[in-house]
């Protein structure tokens, strides 16, 4: 592991997202997993320490780069925390814009995940088509924010860019296309044998375990537990927008697919409602550079689940302490539980099931308890093993 | 099996992918590309270099004679400099193919005329 | 403050009584409760009985002499109660809460790595985040470690990049 210049300090909040390294040690008995030991931190970038050295304005962009997929969730959480410390509130229009961007991001993240889940079970045709249709939402982002990822819309005290009303019909048209396509994919997921055989009854997480192990987000909701920060602890404009919290009581990977697909429909409806009811007015309030002493906890429902930031200020232009807990970390204990008793061939899809950074598992060590032989497989080798043995 | 119809339909369509870099799509309005300084407007206050989250902007000297060095290899195109500039001297351009094998070539200098 | 929070607060006061040092309510649905160090296990137990089954994370804060631990609990997903306590920096140990709330297992390891707080009774107090080569006894998020002196400590053998 190499260390870089001042920016690449190897500590801080780890954030395992897609295509990032993470290590699990599985103990297998024959083909059955009997113990899982996670080892994370391969992608630790020292962000929590870096927060303490930057000003509040610079930290917006640092928060945005904690994760590429849910960059908006992190900035929403960050700006809310700082706004709370400053005692200001974003104007109503800004709150609606935050909701629109957040829900577009959820659609983008979930459809990306559906594609990846299909890829993990070897169903690359579906993967290609889902990702082709994901372009619709990417293009909407490009139109609204100028760029496809890292939208840079949130700022302390509101948002940086307005969504002009000329864009509304285009957004709605995009949503119509998406809705049609997503209906089709949901139908495919529920009827296609390739998917059902690989996901139904796999990676079981019982509701009791899900609560005990503090799972979050769609992973928790797919175990039948109704829990969503947007509904329970509303932020931005979510207290004014009606929506359903989607749950499914299958407790397996299939129900995680269904929950995410149905959540995308909810997101589409939320955006439609927000576009129809968006108030006019300012989009941001000016805020001072220095933040008075205080501390706060900010929570946001990121696409992957509950995201929590803790901020402590000391009256200067830099925070005293900033803590980030991303949803994937919250789901790792639950993930280990899901993998126990499962088969080696199901590991990729169960791992992918919580929507983590799953190339994270590029290095998996297997220990055969009987022979005590140890070997390491890459993800591709593992998939090859699955293919060869027709599992 | 249910995807067969979908797959057959796609056979008759154009590929969904783009033939980059031979074909390029125009970037949208409001795209955040390489920032460009208009030195006729710059007053050398140094705010851009102070707000830059990645330390990509260096100001040499102070006041009206200051020079700006922009390290595009560090820049993350957040446009905070353009937002903070009190004279609107910075605009985000449409340029995006900025990579180079040599980092020393990825520096843009701006001088007062 | 809404009724639900009042109710929770009354119950918390009732069960923890003199163990409470300070209570703060900075905004809706947020409660900060500071307790004595010894009362941690009892407090977590009674909070769980009250319905705080979900732990969101554990935050460590360097206060100079002490390290402050903040346990963030969620009540049915809505009210966030932050339970805080101080542990002295020269002997930073607290009992584990993983036997009460198993979901805290990784959060305790994270704080152990970055602040050097030992959680007694934790089933696997191994390194979670820092690399294997990281020197023992250096806890990067403590304030005495700045980027400059950390760089010196880590790159002693001149292997930078």
């Amino acid at each position: 592991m190499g260390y870089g210049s001042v920016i690449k300090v190897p500590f801080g909040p780890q954030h395992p997202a897609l295509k990032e390294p993470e290590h699990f040690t599985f103990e297998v008995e024959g083909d059955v997993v009997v113990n899982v030991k996670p080892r994370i931190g391969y992608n630790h970038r020292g962000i929590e320490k870096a927060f303490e050295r930057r000003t509040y304005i610079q930290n917006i962009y640092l928060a945005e780069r904690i994760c590429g997929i849910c960059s908006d969730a992190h900035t929403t959480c960050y700006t809310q925390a700082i706004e709370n410390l400053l005692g200001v509130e974003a104007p109503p229009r800004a709150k609606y814009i935050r909701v629109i961007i957040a829900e577009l991001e959820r659609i983008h993240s979930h459809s990306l995940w559906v594609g990846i889940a299909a890829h993990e079970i070897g169903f690359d045709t579906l993967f290609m088509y889902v990702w082709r249709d994901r372009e619709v939402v990417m293009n909407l982002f490009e139109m609204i924010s100028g760029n496809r990822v890292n939208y840079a819309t949130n700022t302390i005290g509101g948002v940086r860019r307005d969504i002009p009303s000329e864009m509304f019909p285009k957004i709605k048209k995009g949503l119509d296309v998406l809705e049609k396509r997503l209906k089709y994919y949901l139908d495919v997921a529920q009827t296609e044998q390739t998917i059902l055989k690989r996901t139904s009854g796999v990676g079981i997480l019982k509701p009791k375990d899900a609560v005990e192990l503090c799972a979050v987000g769609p992973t928790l909701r797919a175990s039948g537990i109704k829990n969503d920060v947007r509904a329970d602890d509303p932020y931005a404009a979510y207290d004014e927008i009606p929506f359903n919290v989607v749950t499914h009581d299958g407790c397996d990977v299939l129900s995680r697919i269904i929950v995410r697909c149905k959540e995308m429909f909810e997101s589409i409806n939320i955006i439609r409602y927000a576009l129809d009811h968006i108030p006019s007015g300012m989009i941001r309030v000016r805020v001072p550079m220095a933040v008075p002493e205080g501390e706060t906890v900010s929570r946001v429902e990121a696409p992957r689940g509950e995201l929590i930031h803790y901020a402590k200020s000391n009256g200067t232009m830099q925070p005293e302490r900033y803590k980030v807990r991303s949803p994937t970390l919250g789901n790792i204990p639950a993930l280990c539980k899901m993998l126990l008793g499962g088969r080696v061939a199901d590991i990729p899809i169960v791992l992918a099931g919580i929507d983590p950074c799953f190339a994270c598992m590029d290095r998996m060590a297997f220990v055969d308890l009987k022979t005590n032989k140890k070997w390491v497989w890459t993800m591709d080798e593992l998939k090859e093993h699955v293919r060869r043995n027709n599992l | 099996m249910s995807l067969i119809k979908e797959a057959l339909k796609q056979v008759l369509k154009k590929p969904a992918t783009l033939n980059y870099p031979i074909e390029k799509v125009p970037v949208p309005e409001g795209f955040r590309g390489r920032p460009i300084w208009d030195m006729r407007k710059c007053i050398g206050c140094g705010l851009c270099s102070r707000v830059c989250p990645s330390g990509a902007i260096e100001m040499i000297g102070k006041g009206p004679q200051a020079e700006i060095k922009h390290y595009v290899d560090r820049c993350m195109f957040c446009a905070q400099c353009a937002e903070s500039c009190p004279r609107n001297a910075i605009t985000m351009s449409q340029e995006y193919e900025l990579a180079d094998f040599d980092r020393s070539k990825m520096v843009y200098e701006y001088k007062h005329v | 403050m809404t009724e639900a929070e009042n109710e929770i607060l009354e119950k918390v006061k009732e069960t923890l009584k003199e163990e409470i040092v300070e209570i703060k309510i900075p905004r809706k649905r947020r409660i900060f409760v500071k307790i004595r160090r010894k009362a941690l296990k009892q407090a977590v137990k009674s909070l769980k009985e009250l319905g705080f089954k979900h732990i969101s994370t554990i935050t460590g804060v360097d206060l100079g002499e002490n390290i402050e631990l903040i346990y963030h609990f969620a009540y049915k997903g809505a009210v966030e109660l932050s339970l805080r306590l101080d542990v002295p920096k020269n002997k930073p140990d607290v009992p584990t809460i993983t036997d009460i709330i198993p979901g805290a297992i990784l959060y305790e390891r994270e704080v152990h790595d970055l602040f050097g707080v030992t959680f007694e009774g934790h089933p696997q107090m191994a390194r979670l985040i820092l690399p294997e080569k990281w020197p023992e006894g250096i806890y990067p998020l403590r304030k005495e470690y700045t980027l400059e002196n950390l760089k010196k400590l880590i790159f002693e053998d001149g292997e930078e990049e």
Side-chain angles (χ1 to χ4, degrees), chain A residues 4-306:
Chain A
S5 52
V6 184
I7 311 158
K8 280 161 52 190
V9 189
F11 36 74
Q14 60 80 36
H15 184 94
L18 288 143
K19 299 281 176 205
E20 282 169 305
E22 189 172 324
H23 176 90
F24 287 87
T25 306
F26 290 96
E27 289 175 18
V28 290
E29 215 176 65
D31 198 23
V32 179
V33 179
V34 292
N35 199 4
V36 189
K37 280 185 187 149
R39 174 73 166 86
I40 58 177
Y42 290 87
N43 215 15
H44 232 225
R45 291 161 287 166
I47 286 186
E48 277 179 26
K49 195 85 175 173
F51 264 107
E52 294 170 13
R53 292 188 41 113
R54 282 170 172 75
T55 64
Y56 286 101
I57 290 183
Q58 292 174 330
N59 279 338
I60 306 169
Y61 306 101
L62 183 62
E64 184 146 39
R65 275 147 187 88
I66 292 172
C67 176
I69 309 292
C70 39
S71 60
D72 183 71
H74 281 283
T75 48
T76 308
C77 206
Y78 171 77
T79 48
Q80 272 174 196
I82 307 305
E83 280 160 16
N84 190 232
L85 289 175
L86 283 164
V88 296
E89 212 169 315
R93 189 174 176 87
K95 287 185 172 176
Y96 270 79
I97 293 173
R98 280 183 185 175
V99 167
I100 292 167
I101 303 273
E103 292 308 316
L104 280 173
E105 187 180 74
R106 199 177 312 277
I107 298 171
H108 147 59
S109 173
H110 282 357
S111 53
L112 175 128
W113 178 81
V114 170
I116 280 162
H119 175 67
E120 294 307 325
I121 56 172
F123 196 2
D124 277 350
T125 321
L126 182 63
F127 158 65
M128 294 285 179
Y129 290 143
V130 174
W131 277 41
R132 179 192 66 191
D133 296 323
R134 196 176 67 104
E135 281 303 304
V136 176
V137 80
M138 301 296 278
N139 289 339
L140 288 180
F141 268 131
E142 220 175 344
M143 181 180 75
I144 294 170
S145 74
N147 291 45
R148 287 161 62 91
V149 280
N150 293 340
Y151 326 113
T153 40
N154 284 325
T155 191
I156 301 165
V159 291
R160 299 170 73 193
R161 274 188 209 199
D162 197 8
I163 304 180
S165 49
E166 303 93 78
M167 283 184 188
F168 289 7
K170 282 186 202 159
I171 298 173
K172 280 186 181 161
K173 212 175 138 200
L175 291 178
D176 291 341
V177 175
L178 275 170
E179 191 174 34
K180 215 174 109 204
R181 296 303 305 168
L182 291 172
K183 271 205 178 111
Y184 172 70
Y185 294 128
L186 179 62
D187 189 48
V188 168
Q190 283 173 315
T191 54
E192 174 69 46
Q193 284 301 317
T194 322
I195 294 176
L196 291 178
K197 285 207 162 155
R198 284 302 309 278
T199 59
S200 163
V202 169
I204 297 282
L205 181 69
K206 294 197 186 95
K208 192 177 151 280
D209 293 330
V211 174
E212 285 249 296
L213 296 169
C214 304
V216 293
T219 311
L220 181 61
R221 293 195 282 276
S223 289
I225 302 208
K226 210 169 175 170
N227 185 309
D228 191 320
V229 181
R230 290 176 292 168
D232 303 331
D233 188 2
Y235 54 94
Y238 283 111
D239 47 349
E240 295 165 26
I241 298 170
F243 68 97
N244 299 321
V245 178
V246 180
T247 58
H248 198 276
D249 45 18
C251 307
D252 54 4
V253 176
L254 180 65
S255 50
R256 279 163 221 145
I257 298 179
I258 293 169
V259 163
R260 287 198 175 91
C261 282
K262 288 190 176 163
E263 261 180 28
M264 287 193 266
F265 296 125
E266 287 300 324
S267 295
I268 289 171
N269 288 334
I270 291 173
I271 299 168
R272 283 191 184 132
Y273 183 92
L275 288 174
D276 289 339
H277 294 81
I278 189 164
S280 53
M282 303 190 297
I283 55 162
R284 67 187 289 183
V285 287
R286 292 281 160 188
V287 292
M289 299 275 269
V291 175
E293 217 169 295
E295 60 181 339
T296 189
V297 174
S298 173
R299 293 208 298 164
V300 156
E301 183 76 17
R304 293 178 176 82
E306 178 209 36

Side-chain angles (χ1 to χ4, degrees), chain C residues 58-159:
Chain C
I58 304 172
T59 305
V61 183
D62 188 348
L63 298 178
E65 291 284 293
N66 293 324
I67 290 171
E68 185 178 50
L69 292 178
I70 310 176
Y71 294 72
H72 304 279
F73 292 97
Y75 178 75
K76 290 175 188 155
V79 178
E80 190 81 19
L81 187 142
S82 303
L83 190 72
R84 61 210 297 177
L85 60 143
D86 286 348
V87 291
K89 215 182 222 176
N90 48 21
K91 198 177 171 289
D93 51 350
V94 281
T96 180
I97 60 158
T98 48
D99 48 342
I100 309 164
I101 298 184
I105 188 156
L106 291 184
Y107 305 139
E108 288 192 351
R109 282 175 69 184
E110 190 189 357
V111 175
H112 172 72
D113 259 19
L114 302 174
F115 283 95
V117 178
T118 321
F119 293 87
E120 275 160 21
H122 189 285
Q124 192 197 354
M125 200 80 261
R127 206 162 252 190
L128 178 75
I129 287 168
L130 297 177
E132 279 85 359
K133 280 167 77 185
W134 190 271
E136 284 290 331
I138 292 181
Y139 304 111
L141 278 184
R142 289 192 182 182
K143 290 280 182 195
E144 64 252 38
Y145 297 104
T146 60
L147 296 190
E148 289 73 24
N149 66 24
L150 269 174
K151 210 173 164 185
K152 245 180 249 159
L153 286 166
I154 300 161
F155 300 128
E156 263 172 342
D157 42 354
E159 51 132 19

Side-chain angles (χ1 to χ4, degrees), chain B residues 2-65:
Chain B
S2 51
L3 277 177
I4 284 187
K5 230 169 105 188
E6 185 69 30
L8 286 174
K9 257 199 266 172
Q10 183 61 37
V11 170
L12 302 169
K13 281 192 207 157
K14 273 200 307 184
T17 47
L18 204 76
N19 213 356
Y20 182 84
I22 300 157
E23 274 173 59
K24 281 178 197 167
V25 268
V27 293
E29 224 179 294
F31 178 75
R32 299 188 305 275
R34 179 171 77 84
I36 290 176
W37 275 255
D38 182 349
M39 292 313 273
R40 282 168 304 179
K41 287 186 191 165
C42 177
I43 51 167
C45 66
L47 203 58
C48 52
S49 81
R50 258 183 288 141
V51 295
C52 181
S54 50
I57 305 166
E58 191 188 345
M59 208 177 73
I60 302 154
K62 223 177 157 58
Q65 289 313 311

